[in-house]
Tab-separated table of all heavy atoms in Angstrom:
chain	number	residue	atom	x	y	z
A	1	ALA	N	0.838	-1.206	0.000
A	1	ALA	CA	0.000	0.000	0.000
A	1	ALA	C	0.875	1.259	0.000
A	1	ALA	O	0.570	2.231	-0.687
A	1	ALA	CB	-0.932	-0.007	1.206
A	2	PHE	N	1.961	1.227	0.753
A	2	PHE	CA	2.854	2.385	0.817
A	2	PHE	C	3.416	2.721	-0.563
A	2	PHE	O	3.351	3.872	-1.000
A	2	PHE	CB	4.020	2.141	1.791
A	2	PHE	CG	5.124	3.137	1.628
A	2	PHE	CD1	5.026	4.407	2.183
A	2	PHE	CD2	6.264	2.828	0.896
A	2	PHE	CE1	6.025	5.354	1.992
A	2	PHE	CE2	7.271	3.762	0.695
A	2	PHE	CZ	7.150	5.028	1.257
A	3	ILE	N	3.982	1.745	-1.233
A	3	ILE	CA	4.708	2.015	-2.481
A	3	ILE	C	3.759	2.449	-3.613
A	3	ILE	O	4.218	3.038	-4.601
A	3	ILE	CB	5.604	0.821	-2.900
A	3	ILE	CG1	6.724	1.275	-3.831
A	3	ILE	CG2	4.782	-0.313	-3.486
A	3	ILE	CD1	7.693	2.261	-3.241
A	4	GLN	N	2.480	2.245	-3.450
A	4	GLN	CA	1.507	2.674	-4.459
A	4	GLN	C	1.154	4.158	-4.336
A	4	GLN	O	0.544	4.722	-5.247
A	4	GLN	CB	0.227	1.835	-4.351
A	4	GLN	CG	0.441	0.359	-4.633
A	4	GLN	CD	1.088	0.087	-5.982
A	4	GLN	OE1	0.722	0.679	-6.988
A	4	GLN	NE2	2.062	-0.811	-5.995
A	5	GLN	N	1.535	4.797	-3.255
A	5	GLN	CA	1.213	6.213	-3.044
A	5	GLN	C	2.028	7.112	-3.968
A	5	GLN	O	3.184	6.795	-4.280
A	5	GLN	CB	1.546	6.627	-1.609
A	5	GLN	CG	0.758	5.944	-0.539
A	5	GLN	CD	1.224	6.416	0.818
A	5	GLN	OE1	0.785	7.450	1.293
A	5	GLN	NE2	2.129	5.662	1.417
A	6	PRO	N	1.456	8.249	-4.354
A	6	PRO	CA	2.266	9.230	-5.082
A	6	PRO	C	3.462	9.653	-4.225
A	6	PRO	O	3.335	9.802	-3.008
A	6	PRO	CB	1.300	10.406	-5.285
A	6	PRO	CG	-0.070	9.813	-5.148
A	6	PRO	CD	0.067	8.670	-4.181
A	7	TYR	N	4.601	9.796	-4.837
A	7	TYR	CA	5.854	10.237	-4.227
A	7	TYR	C	6.522	9.186	-3.331
A	7	TYR	O	7.551	9.468	-2.726
A	7	TYR	CB	5.684	11.551	-3.452
A	7	TYR	CG	5.146	12.657	-4.319
A	7	TYR	CD1	3.815	13.047	-4.224
A	7	TYR	CD2	5.949	13.284	-5.255
A	7	TYR	CE1	3.300	14.052	-5.041
A	7	TYR	CE2	5.452	14.292	-6.076
A	7	TYR	CZ	4.126	14.665	-5.960
A	7	TYR	OH	3.634	15.655	-6.759
A	8	ALA	N	5.977	7.981	-3.256
A	8	ALA	CA	6.601	6.949	-2.426
A	8	ALA	C	7.964	6.542	-2.982
A	8	ALA	O	8.917	6.356	-2.214
A	8	ALA	CB	5.691	5.730	-2.296
A	9	LYS	N	8.078	6.407	-4.285
A	9	LYS	CA	9.367	6.020	-4.873
A	9	LYS	C	10.424	7.093	-4.619
A	9	LYS	O	11.578	6.780	-4.326
A	9	LYS	CB	9.209	5.721	-6.359
A	9	LYS	CG	8.424	4.433	-6.613
A	9	LYS	CD	8.249	4.159	-8.087
A	9	LYS	CE	7.550	2.856	-8.338
A	9	LYS	NZ	6.146	2.834	-7.995
A	10	GLU	N	10.029	8.367	-4.692
A	10	GLU	CA	10.965	9.451	-4.370
A	10	GLU	C	11.354	9.399	-2.897
A	10	GLU	O	12.517	9.636	-2.553
A	10	GLU	CB	10.332	10.813	-4.700
A	10	GLU	CG	10.127	11.054	-6.178
A	10	GLU	CD	8.834	10.484	-6.751
A	10	GLU	OE1	8.140	9.702	-6.063
A	10	GLU	OE2	8.531	10.807	-7.898
A	11	ALA	N	10.397	9.045	-2.037
A	11	ALA	CA	10.699	8.924	-0.607
A	11	ALA	C	11.684	7.789	-0.339
A	11	ALA	O	12.560	7.912	0.532
A	11	ALA	CB	9.408	8.712	0.190
A	12	VAL	N	11.568	6.703	-1.075
A	12	VAL	CA	12.512	5.583	-0.923
A	12	VAL	C	13.909	6.023	-1.361
A	12	VAL	O	14.905	5.727	-0.683
A	12	VAL	CB	12.030	4.343	-1.708
A	12	VAL	CG1	13.113	3.281	-1.782
A	12	VAL	CG2	10.760	3.779	-1.064
A	13	THR	N	13.995	6.741	-2.462
A	13	THR	CA	15.288	7.268	-2.905
A	13	THR	C	15.874	8.193	-1.850
A	13	THR	O	17.050	8.077	-1.485
A	13	THR	CB	15.125	8.014	-4.246
A	13	THR	OG1	14.649	7.086	-5.227
A	13	THR	CG2	16.434	8.617	-4.714
A	14	LEU	N	15.053	9.095	-1.341
A	14	LEU	CA	15.480	10.005	-0.276
A	14	LEU	C	15.936	9.223	0.950
A	14	LEU	O	16.969	9.537	1.555
A	14	LEU	CB	14.330	10.950	0.087
A	14	LEU	CG	14.485	11.813	1.331
A	14	LEU	CD1	15.726	12.675	1.281
A	14	LEU	CD2	13.238	12.669	1.526
A	15	ARG	N	15.199	8.188	1.301
A	15	ARG	CA	15.543	7.378	2.477
A	15	ARG	C	16.921	6.740	2.327
A	15	ARG	O	17.703	6.698	3.278
A	15	ARG	CB	14.499	6.280	2.663
A	15	ARG	CG	14.732	5.412	3.859
A	15	ARG	CD	14.318	6.140	5.091
A	15	ARG	NE	15.385	6.134	6.062
A	15	ARG	CZ	15.330	6.796	7.200
A	15	ARG	NH1	14.293	7.524	7.507
A	15	ARG	NH2	16.329	6.747	8.039
A	16	ARG	N	17.225	6.248	1.146
A	16	ARG	CA	18.534	5.619	0.937
A	16	ARG	C	19.648	6.650	1.081
A	16	ARG	O	20.696	6.362	1.658
A	16	ARG	CB	18.579	4.922	-0.407
A	16	ARG	CG	17.652	3.688	-0.428
A	16	ARG	CD	18.078	2.696	-1.471
A	16	ARG	NE	17.213	1.554	-1.545
A	16	ARG	CZ	17.379	0.426	-0.860
A	16	ARG	NH1	18.368	0.310	-0.011
A	16	ARG	NH2	16.551	-0.594	-1.036
A	17	TRP	N	19.453	7.872	0.560
A	17	TRP	CA	20.440	8.933	0.771
A	17	TRP	C	20.536	9.273	2.250
A	17	TRP	O	21.640	9.461	2.777
A	17	TRP	CB	20.072	10.187	-0.013
A	17	TRP	CG	20.105	10.053	-1.498
A	17	TRP	CD1	20.931	9.240	-2.246
A	17	TRP	CD2	19.287	10.748	-2.428
A	17	TRP	NE1	20.661	9.407	-3.584
A	17	TRP	CE2	19.656	10.332	-3.728
A	17	TRP	CE3	18.264	11.691	-2.295
A	17	TRP	CZ2	19.061	10.827	-4.872
A	17	TRP	CZ3	17.660	12.193	-3.436
A	17	TRP	CH2	18.060	11.761	-4.711
A	18	ASP	N	19.397	9.339	2.914
A	18	ASP	CA	19.339	9.636	4.348
A	18	ASP	C	20.231	8.669	5.126
A	18	ASP	O	21.011	9.083	5.993
A	18	ASP	CB	17.878	9.526	4.793
A	18	ASP	CG	17.615	9.875	6.249
A	18	ASP	OD1	18.550	10.220	6.993
A	18	ASP	OD2	16.442	9.792	6.648
A	19	ASP	N	20.134	7.405	4.819
A	19	ASP	CA	20.910	6.394	5.539
A	19	ASP	C	22.408	6.508	5.285
A	19	ASP	O	23.212	6.146	6.143
A	19	ASP	CB	20.433	4.987	5.153
A	19	ASP	CG	19.005	4.733	5.605
A	19	ASP	OD1	18.613	5.225	6.676
A	19	ASP	OD2	18.271	4.057	4.857
A	20	LEU	N	22.792	7.001	4.117
A	20	LEU	CA	24.209	7.145	3.769
A	20	LEU	C	24.812	8.456	4.265
A	20	LEU	O	26.037	8.611	4.260
A	20	LEU	CB	24.383	7.067	2.244
A	20	LEU	CG	24.005	5.744	1.586
A	20	LEU	CD1	24.036	5.887	0.068
A	20	LEU	CD2	24.942	4.633	2.055
A	21	ALA	N	23.979	9.379	4.705
A	21	ALA	CA	24.410	10.746	5.023
A	21	ALA	C	24.735	10.923	6.500
A	21	ALA	O	24.220	11.826	7.157
A	21	ALA	CB	23.329	11.726	4.578
A	22	LYS	N	25.599	10.065	7.016
A	22	LYS	CA	25.937	10.097	8.440
A	22	LYS	C	27.431	9.872	8.649
A	22	LYS	O	27.861	9.253	9.612
A	22	LYS	CB	25.131	9.031	9.187
A	22	LYS	CG	23.628	9.245	9.068
A	22	LYS	CD	22.827	8.111	9.663
A	22	LYS	CE	21.347	8.351	9.429
A	22	LYS	NZ	20.511	7.280	9.945
A	23	VAL	N	28.239	10.407	7.729
A	23	VAL	CA	29.678	10.157	7.731
A	23	VAL	C	30.397	11.347	8.374
A	23	VAL	O	30.317	12.472	7.860
A	23	VAL	CB	30.201	9.941	6.294
A	23	VAL	CG1	31.699	9.686	6.297
A	23	VAL	CG2	29.443	8.811	5.613
A	24	PRO	N	31.093	11.129	9.491
A	24	PRO	CA	31.799	12.247	10.136
A	24	PRO	C	32.824	12.885	9.192
A	24	PRO	O	33.521	12.197	8.459
A	24	PRO	CB	32.507	11.586	11.323
A	24	PRO	CG	31.787	10.300	11.544
A	24	PRO	CD	31.253	9.876	10.205
A	25	ASP	N	32.851	14.196	9.194
A	25	ASP	CA	33.852	14.997	8.467
A	25	ASP	C	33.840	14.797	6.952
A	25	ASP	O	34.840	15.077	6.292
A	25	ASP	CB	35.261	14.723	9.019
A	25	ASP	CG	35.356	15.017	10.508
A	25	ASP	OD1	34.832	16.067	10.936
A	25	ASP	OD2	35.930	14.190	11.234
A	26	LEU	N	32.743	14.336	6.395
A	26	LEU	CA	32.654	14.178	4.940
A	26	LEU	C	32.523	15.556	4.301
A	26	LEU	O	31.622	16.314	4.647
A	26	LEU	CB	31.451	13.312	4.570
A	26	LEU	CG	31.289	13.004	3.085
A	26	LEU	CD1	32.397	12.048	2.621
A	26	LEU	CD2	29.924	12.397	2.815
A	27	PRO	N	33.413	15.894	3.368
A	27	PRO	CA	33.297	17.201	2.716
A	27	PRO	C	32.027	17.288	1.862
A	27	PRO	O	31.663	16.334	1.164
A	27	PRO	CB	34.536	17.277	1.824
A	27	PRO	CG	35.447	16.207	2.296
A	27	PRO	CD	34.596	15.151	2.928
A	28	THR	N	31.360	18.418	1.947
A	28	THR	CA	30.181	18.713	1.130
A	28	THR	C	30.273	20.165	0.675
A	28	THR	O	31.028	20.950	1.264
A	28	THR	CB	28.869	18.557	1.929
A	28	THR	OG1	28.856	19.523	2.985
A	28	THR	CG2	28.696	17.159	2.485
A	29	PRO	N	29.506	20.542	-0.322
A	29	PRO	CA	29.403	21.969	-0.629
A	29	PRO	C	28.817	22.692	0.590
A	29	PRO	O	28.070	22.089	1.366
A	29	PRO	CB	28.438	22.020	-1.812
A	29	PRO	CG	28.469	20.651	-2.411
A	29	PRO	CD	28.733	19.722	-1.267
A	30	PRO	N	29.116	23.964	0.741
A	30	PRO	CA	28.543	24.710	1.869
A	30	PRO	C	27.040	24.925	1.683
A	30	PRO	O	26.519	24.848	0.559
A	30	PRO	CB	29.297	26.038	1.845
A	30	PRO	CG	29.779	26.187	0.445
A	30	PRO	CD	30.001	24.794	-0.078
A	31	LEU	N	26.366	25.217	2.770
A	31	LEU	CA	24.927	25.438	2.739
A	31	LEU	C	24.544	26.498	1.708
A	31	LEU	O	23.551	26.335	0.988
A	31	LEU	CB	24.437	25.846	4.133
A	31	LEU	CG	22.959	26.172	4.269
A	31	LEU	CD1	22.096	24.974	3.879
A	31	LEU	CD2	22.659	26.608	5.702
A	32	ALA	N	25.310	27.558	1.614
A	32	ALA	CA	24.997	28.647	0.673
A	32	ALA	C	24.876	28.150	-0.767
A	32	ALA	O	24.107	28.713	-1.549
A	32	ALA	CB	26.054	29.744	0.776
A	33	ASP	N	25.596	27.096	-1.106
A	33	ASP	CA	25.530	26.551	-2.465
A	33	ASP	C	24.166	25.948	-2.793
A	33	ASP	O	23.829	25.772	-3.964
A	33	ASP	CB	26.610	25.485	-2.680
A	33	ASP	CG	27.999	26.076	-2.841
A	33	ASP	OD1	28.169	27.300	-2.635
A	33	ASP	OD2	28.927	25.310	-3.161
A	34	PHE	N	23.394	25.635	-1.766
A	34	PHE	CA	22.083	25.018	-1.986
A	34	PHE	C	20.946	26.036	-1.983
A	34	PHE	O	19.806	25.688	-2.299
A	34	PHE	CB	21.829	23.922	-0.950
A	34	PHE	CG	22.692	22.715	-1.165
A	34	PHE	CD1	23.870	22.556	-0.461
A	34	PHE	CD2	22.342	21.751	-2.099
A	34	PHE	CE1	24.686	21.453	-0.675
A	34	PHE	CE2	23.144	20.642	-2.319
A	34	PHE	CZ	24.321	20.493	-1.608
A	35	GLN	N	21.232	27.286	-1.642
A	35	GLN	CA	20.174	28.284	-1.576
A	35	GLN	C	19.483	28.459	-2.927
A	35	GLN	O	18.255	28.524	-2.995
A	35	GLN	CB	20.710	29.623	-1.080
A	35	GLN	CG	19.599	30.640	-0.910
A	35	GLN	CD	20.011	31.836	-0.084
A	35	GLN	OE1	21.104	31.878	0.484
A	35	GLN	NE2	19.138	32.816	0.003
């Protein structure tokens, strides 16, 4: 039922990034780059 909802596939993609985004001291662009 969940995966049939609109935007569920995008949420799964987001979730996988969420799980990978917990690395101490990993370089990223600064916040201003995302504005």
Side-chain angles (χ1 to χ4, degrees):
F2 165 80
I3 202 62
Q4 297 305 316
Q5 296 178 84
Y7 303 104
K9 290 179 177 71
E10 292 85 349
V12 169
T13 299
L14 170 57
R15 181 77 232 174
R16 291 203 182 269
W17 295 329
D18 183 0
D19 295 325
L20 296 172
K22 300 173 184 178
V23 180
D25 302 316
L26 183 70
T28 64
L31 178 60
D33 285 8
F34 290 96
Q35 184 165 353

